[in-house]
């Protein structure tokens, strides 16, 4: 069963990638459609998440090496990164502040209780950082994962619309995707080229570092 679950995930992703290459619409983004198909199969078949992860755990373990591999396009674009370092940092800081601010505003509008409000704040940080930040400021770590995924999917679904009507260069697209949608955004950045990927990975890393410090400060500043 473990091998079947692993095979199911890989084949589904390859198939969804093929479909996406033929019909390039945000709703068919491979990461999103693969999750939907796998969840549907698990629900219909009655297979538990624990059983599924016995096979899919190998994919989960590849997340670390995949993140490290992002250093390669960053290295190839090192001259660009060095030349534009200050604008990149400023852009990411603005993005992080906006992400926390939008999360706070949305939680207030929806009337969420304090614990959920604190959980939603680090939604745009990469999951390994969002979880401890949520825990530190008084949120619910397990739910922080869900909010992070929702934020990532929302960003990669809506980003093509923004890029169509607002003029973004390759660097701008990468910074926007990495700051707003962490790893999911970086996977989306692959579609726009190496420079976009490198900028996205840099933005994701910087957002994680800045957000880990800014989160507690934001909560203190607004006396949440």
């Amino acid at each position: 069963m473990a091998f079947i679950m692993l095979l199911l995930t890989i084949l589904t992703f390859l198939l969804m990638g093929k479909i996406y290459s033929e019909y390039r619409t945000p709703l068919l983004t491979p990461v999103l459609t693969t999750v939907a198909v796998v969840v549907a199969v698990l629900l219909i078949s009655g297979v538990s998440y624990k059983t599924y992860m016995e096979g899919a755990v190998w994919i989960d373990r590849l997340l670390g090496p995949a993140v490290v591999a992002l250093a390669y396009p960053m290295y190839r674009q090192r001259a660009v990164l060095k030349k534009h370092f200050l604008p990149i940092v400023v852009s990411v800081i603005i993005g992080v502040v906006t992400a926390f601010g939008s999360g706070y505003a949305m939680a207030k509008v929806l009337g969420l209780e304090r614990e959920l409000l604190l959980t939603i704040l680090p939604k745009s940080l990469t999951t390994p950082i969002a979880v401890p930040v949520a825990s530190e400021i008084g949120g619910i770590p397990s739910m922080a994962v869900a909010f992070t995924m929702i934020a990532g999917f929302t960003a990669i679904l809506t980003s093509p619309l923004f890029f169509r009507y607002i003029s973004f260069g390759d660097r701008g697209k990468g910074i926007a995707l990495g700051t707003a949608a962490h790893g999911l955004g970086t996977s989306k950045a692959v579609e726009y080229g190496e420079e976009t990927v490198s900028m996205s990975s840099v933005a994701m890393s910087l957002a994680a570092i800045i957000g880990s410090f800014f989160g507690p400060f934001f909560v203190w500043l607004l006396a949440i």
Side-chain angles (χ1 to χ4, degrees), residues 1 4 9 15 31 49 56 62 105 118 146 149 169 174 201 203 208 212 217:
M1 180 60 74
I4 293 176
T9 306
L15 176 61
V31 175
Y49 177 73
L62 288 173
L118 293 171
M149 293 298 291
S201 57
S212 63
F217 173 73

Side-chain angles (χ1 to χ4, degrees), residues 51-123:
T51 301
Y52 168 76
M53 282 305 294
E54 289 177 1
V57 67
W58 295 105
I59 296 176
D60 185 60
R61 289 176 179 174
L62 288 173
L63 178 61
V67 173
V68 173
L70 292 174
Y72 179 67
M74 288 171 59
Y75 174 76
R76 286 175 57 91
Q77 296 290 332
R78 61 190 182 280
V80 176
L81 296 175
K82 184 177 180 180
K83 181 179 179 180
H84 301 283
F85 183 73
L86 184 58
I88 292 171
V89 172
V90 172
S91 298
V92 173
I93 290 175
I94 293 172
V96 170
V97 173
T98 302
F100 274 83
S102 63
Y104 176 78
M106 181 170 60
K108 280 295 186 180
V109 169
L110 295 175
L112 300 182
E113 59 185 42
R114 180 178 182 274
E115 195 173 28
L116 282 176
L117 185 154
L118 293 171
T119 303
I120 205 173
L121 289 181
K123 59 179 172 50

Side-chain angles (χ1 to χ4, degrees), residues 31-48:
V31 175
L32 177 61
T33 51
T34 299
V35 169
V37 171
V38 171
V39 169
V41 170
L42 295 182
L43 290 174
I44 294 171
S45 63
V47 176
S48 68

